[in-house]
Amino acid sequence: MTPSLDDMYREIILDHYRSPRGKKPLPHADITTHGQNPSCGDEISLDVEMDHGVVKDVHVNCHGCAISVASGSMLAETVKGRSFDEVRRIAEIVRKMLKGEEVQIPDDLGDIDALKGVRQFPVRIKCALLAWVTLIEGMKNYEDGKHEITNTTITTEDDHETK
Amino acid sequence: MDIERIKADFPILEERVNSHRLIYLDNAATTQKPRAVINALIDYYRKMNSNIHRGLHTLAERSTEAFEESRAHVARFIGDVPTEEVIFTKGTTEALNLIAYSWGEQNIKAGDEIVITEMEHHANFVPWVMLAKRKNAIIKKIPITVCGHLDLSDIDTIITSKTKLVAFPHVSNVLGTINPVQQIAAKAKSVGATVVVDGAQAAPHMTIRPAEYGIDFYSFSAHKMLGPTGVGVLWGRRSVLQAMPPFNFGGEMIREVSFDRVTFNELPWKFEAGTPNIADVIAFDAALTYLESLGMEEIRTHEIMLTKYAIDRLTSLKGIEIQGPQESATRGGAVSFTDPSIHPHDISTFLDSRGIAIRAGHHCAQPLMRTLGKVATARASFYIYNTEADIDALYDALVEMRKYFGV
């Protein structure tokens, strides 16, 4: 079957690409994490401010394609006010959805459902996952009590579980 | 050249991609294969499949003869060099690694300087960086100008008496720049340095004469010049190759083995350990015959015409930025470009939906990308079966893409 370009570049995706959310820099970030996709050179930086175990705010700075920018923008919209466990649960939903696995998408996940079309383009799945994998790595570092900046390189293996 | 007749020789060009006629503009990555090459592969497996150099039966004789004929053909193709100077590898990358390990281990010492360029493909960059690390040697770079040429203005301070090796591409896979091989080689030789040229993007497109350039090594890949994948050529000057230790051990590179003594075969087999890629080497012979039937000068002329047309058409689109030299006579046919508001990956996906294959990414040249201030570029690269109509289709699709993304 010919993959549908319109399914991937849905209007919601293009809107996030043109006007990415989470652009406001955070002066007091608790987590700073970088990610890159070596196959295309896309780069993302995430700053996260925490408040009593939940994400208070997030700043996303992505230099990449429409899919990686839109996915990062959706992440910024979605993770605020959530605990790490909830963020991991959402990241896992995103991964399963992109891999074409059966998954129930809760109503409170904003526009994330719009990323579904990316699964018709397997080479672009890594673009959609970049922000999520980067955030998970940054969270892991923070939980381990490490304060250095995390550098994540997304690989094909990152299609596996994000836990 | 009769392009329509050439096209008919390439069965894959009849393929439809996403309901469109395939327009293949990713030739710098790999080229398509003519029927003659595909048939040579089939013929090998149907008529002569056998290991070479060691069998004493008819099939072994056939395959050995065909394999060595392919080597002789390569030797003729690059300017009638001695066949013993032609070593088959599995690609340009392996050829360069062979030099780094064999020649490099023997000749590079702490404090020595290795000169490379800022426009290097990883295959002609990482082996030297790793060699320098192993040996505590120093890497120095020849920078590029804003126009994408090598900046040779400081060459006397870059290539010095400490320089032991100078490695550079004949043609850049990103910028398309054709480098002045003889000029750089002359400077390197004046300080006694060894010279390595990566010819992967040159050998398919122009007449090459490595033995006349004043260099020591030249490498290229069959699959970028109509041949099969998994075959590369390392040309090396006989005196240099003879002084080098083997790279891998086993198979035909051995002459005699006892428990306390091993002697090695002569050139070129000294560097061809194990069973080589016999079928593909033999089919490469057919690719060279095909290229010669067209003529390398004619191929180059066709490429200059297409490159000029592509640069003119693409730059007529407002905002499109083309990397590298703008004048087609001093560049090859790899045209890297960026659109100010659309990422190269999105460009590639959109064009693919219209049946147009290009490359998008960093093209295995990340240091160059950083110099250019880009994370990635889109790249259209041409070959003998491409026409101005293909470039028109690319142009039309880019116009359509801008409407689609609303920019």
Side-chain angles (χ1 to χ4, degrees), chain A residues 34-79:
Chain A
H34 299 313
Q36 61 163 331
N37 181 348
S39 65
C40 60
D42 284 1
E43 288 180 6
I44 192 165
S45 291
L46 293 168
D47 291 323
V48 182
E49 206 176 312
M50 298 298 295
D51 183 20
H52 297 91
V54 299
V55 175
K56 186 179 172 194
D57 207 351
V58 62
H59 164 58
V60 183
N61 187 14
C62 184
H63 296 283
C65 64
I67 302 304
S68 59
V69 170
S71 186
S73 170
M74 288 175 183
L75 175 146
E77 259 186 353
T78 314
V79 300

Side-chain angles (χ1 to χ4, degrees), chain B residues 159-370:
Chain B
I159 298 177
T160 68
S161 58
K162 287 183 176 174
T163 307
K164 291 292 175 295
L165 180 92
V166 178
F168 58 95
H170 194 163
V171 176
S172 161
N173 71 317
V174 175
L175 305 169
T177 317
I178 300 173
N179 290 318
V181 177
Q182 281 154 299
Q183 187 188 345
I184 301 169
K187 175 63 198 167
K189 284 296 164 191
S190 74
V191 297
T194 295
V195 183
V196 177
V197 177
D198 169 1
Q201 299 294 339
H205 305 285
M206 57 184 78
T207 304
I208 54 159
R209 292 288 178 263
E212 297 170 15
Y213 296 154
I215 62 174
D216 300 284
F217 298 105
Y218 195 94
S219 59
F220 53 97
S221 295
H223 73 94
K224 293 186 196 290
M225 46 202 302
L226 308 181
T229 53
V231 176
V233 171
L234 171 62
W235 171 82
R237 199 169 286 288
R238 178 170 25 201
S239 55
V240 184
L241 290 172
Q242 267 167 344
M244 284 160 56
F247 172 46
N248 286 320
F249 301 92
E252 194 52 36
M253 55 77 61
I254 299 287
R255 173 175 286 164
E256 199 181 346
V257 176
S258 65
F259 281 107
D260 52 8
R261 188 161 175 268
V262 178
T263 56
F264 302 120
N265 206 339
E266 293 169 355
L267 291 173
W269 306 290
K270 182 170 95 174
F271 292 107
E272 293 179 0
T275 298
N277 193 353
I278 304 167
D280 297 286
V281 166
I282 290 171
F284 185 33
D285 193 358
L288 295 177
T289 302
Y290 192 93
L291 289 175
E292 284 166 340
S293 75
L294 303 177
M296 293 310 291
E297 299 302 326
E298 286 73 13
I299 290 171
R300 175 71 188 132
T301 303
H302 179 64
E303 185 175 63
I304 290 174
M305 182 273 291
L306 284 180
T307 308
K308 182 178 184 325
Y309 190 69
I311 291 175
D312 287 349
R313 288 236 75 185
L314 291 179
T315 47
S316 73
L317 281 170
K318 199 174 169 215
I320 292 272
E321 187 186 343
I322 290 179
Q323 304 300 324
Q326 305 289 306
E327 67 285 5
S328 55
T330 60
R331 60 157 21 255
V335 178
S336 291
F337 62 96
T338 48
D339 187 298
S341 43
I342 304 173
H343 188 276
H345 266 197
D346 296 313
I347 295 176
S348 178
T349 298
F350 186 88
L351 294 177
D352 184 58
S353 76
R354 302 299 184 264
I356 302 170
I358 63 150
R359 185 63 161 261
H362 50 59
H363 315 290
C364 297
Q366 286 175 335
L368 173 60
M369 286 292 141
R370 277 190 277 276

Side-chain angles (χ1 to χ4, degrees), chain B residues 17 21-27 32 348 351-360 379-381 386 394:
Chain B
V17 171
R21 178 176 71 88
L22 168 66
I23 296 176
Y24 187 77
L25 301 177
D26 193 16
N27 294 288
Q32 299 302 343
S348 178
L351 294 177
D352 184 58
S353 76
R354 302 299 184 264
I356 302 170
I358 63 150
R359 185 63 161 261
R379 181 184 71 189
S381 51
N386 292 124
L394 170 70

